[in-house]
Amino acid sequence: MITLALSKGRIFDESLPLLKAAGIELAEDSESSRRLILATTRPDVRVVLVRATDVPTYVQHGGADLGVAGLDVLLEHGGQGLYQPLDLRIAQCRMSVAVRADFDYAAAVKQGSRIRVATKYVSVARDHFADKGVHVDLIKLYGSMELAPLTGLADAIVDLVSTGSTLAANRLVEVERIMDISSRLVVNQAALKLKQQPIRRIIEAFESALPAVPAKSGQE
Ligand code: PRT
Ligand code: MG
């Protein structure tokens, strides 16, 4: 049995066409059922639905053989024990620094002020500001980072941006792009050895189903 971990939402939706190309279709409607383990049209393949941030953990510890996870999630997880053979170029967005429209970020950086940064992505944020030589106090949040600068909790946030409409709706401006983000196929290293043939076949099918020209991520 091959177990594939997916998260509900955009990763699930955008993975379905890739799965189909690999000859794998869901045998039941994920919307109508509350089940967390879904059978597929291939008797030897099943899908498990987990929280996006839990995908690397499931795959690392063998709860799933493969999974699809955002680069943002992988960077925070650390990627230990995971083979990452493919950039699937789905669920694309960018990781950016944003501030309130009336906060002069460039001046704060130039003056060497300590900047309070709220984020779910502390590891990426720490590396980014260390590289720039900017002193920051990081505040870990689990949701709605956009609220932090509006309430005075932080001067800046590090968050994912795709259309930019969430930032605009909260009168925040993007002042720095840290990196482009897309989702990756991740594989448990032991499973890759033990179930080499079927896993390789899935990786190859995914690869040939990808659009020939890489889509530009973080489009505006
Ligand atoms: O939402 P939930 O708490 O269930 O879990 P999750 O947020 O971890 O899952 P999901 O499905 O929202 O995100 C899964 C993956 O999709 C992420 O790990 C990213 O790799 C990728 N992705 C792509 C995004 C976005 N685009 C995105 N726009 N993840 C989140 N967002 C959020 C962003 O955080 C911000 O709040 O959407 C908002 C900004 O969107 P725009 O379009 O207004 O700019
Ligand atoms: Mg979300």
Side-chain angles (χ1 to χ4, degrees), residues 10 51-52 70 72-73 91 93 146 159-160 162-166 181:
R10 60 194 110 213
R51 188 81 193 257
D72 50 314
V73 166
C93 57
E146 298 85 3
D159 195 6
L160 300 177
S162 91
T163 61
S165 53
T166 305
I181 299 287

Side-chain angles (χ1 to χ4, degrees), residues 7-12 14 51-53 69-73 90-94 120-121 142 144-146 159-168 181-183:
S7 56
K8 278 203 172 181
R10 60 194 110 213
I11 287 184
F12 182 81
E14 295 185 43
R51 188 81 193 257
T53 42
L71 178 61
D72 50 314
V73 166
I90 60 172
Q92 296 191 346
C93 57
R94 56 191 185 267
K120 189 167 147 186
Y121 308 101
Y142 294 88
S144 299
M145 286 160 262
E146 298 85 3
D159 195 6
L160 300 177
V161 181
S162 91
T163 61
S165 53
T166 305
L167 291 182
I181 299 287
S182 57
S183 289

Side-chain angles (χ1 to χ4, degrees), residues 140-155:
K140 167 87 182 182
L141 287 180
Y142 294 88
S144 299
M145 286 160 262
E146 298 85 3
L147 192 58
L150 306 180
T151 54
L153 178 68
D155 304 310

Side-chain angles (χ1 to χ4, degrees), residues 44-176:
D44 63 326
V45 180
R46 62 179 186 174
V47 169
V48 293
L49 296 175
V50 304
R51 188 81 193 257
T53 42
D54 290 337
V55 168
T57 309
Y58 267 82
V59 177
Q60 175 188 8
H61 298 288
D65 300 302
L66 336 112
V68 177
L71 178 61
D72 50 314
V73 166
L74 284 170
L75 290 172
E76 291 304 311
H77 168 269
Q80 311 89 322
L82 301 176
Y83 171 54
Q84 301 181 30
L86 274 184
D87 178 354
L88 299 174
R89 308 198 290 255
I90 60 172
Q92 296 191 346
C93 57
R94 56 191 185 267
M95 179 100 62
S96 295
V97 181
V99 299
R100 251 168 58 171
D102 59 3
F103 181 79
D104 193 342
Y105 177 72
V109 167
K110 209 169 162 196
Q111 287 160 18
S113 324
R114 258 191 120 74
I115 301 174
R116 289 168 308 148
V117 179
T119 188
K120 189 167 147 186
Y121 308 101
V122 282
S123 171
V124 171
R126 187 179 295 113
D127 288 352
H128 172 71
F129 292 110
D131 284 351
K132 282 177 58 90
V134 172
H135 297 288
V136 292
D137 288 322
L138 292 173
I139 303 166
K140 167 87 182 182
L141 287 180
Y142 294 88
S144 299
M145 286 160 262
E146 298 85 3
L147 192 58
L150 306 180
T151 54
L153 178 68
D155 304 310
I157 59 172
V158 168
D159 195 6
L160 300 177
V161 181
S162 91
T163 61
S165 53
T166 305
L167 291 182
N170 291 290
R171 296 189 187 183
L172 299 174
V173 291
E174 190 177 5
V175 287
E176 228 159 48

